[in-house]
Amino acid sequence: MTELTRRGFLATAAAAGTVRALPIVAMRASGGRRILALVYDKGLGMMRAVERIVP
């Protein structure tokens, strides 16, 4: 296993934070609305939530 330095840890944490925050910022900039719908998935045999962005 490789040793993780403080610099490497901070870079990894910053990259993970950016990946999580980028879709939220992009959605706010586009001005779209988020629509959450429940659909029946025959493969799973249960309901599941599907989220769409509508302009």
Side-chain angles (χ1 to χ4, degrees), residues 19-43:
V19 168
R20 286 185 53 115
L22 190 60
I24 295 170
V25 172
M27 189 198 68
R28 287 184 184 161
S30 68
R33 291 187 318 164
R34 294 168 59 171
I35 305 295
L36 185 65
L38 292 175
V39 295
Y40 184 76
D41 190 341
K42 291 181 182 178

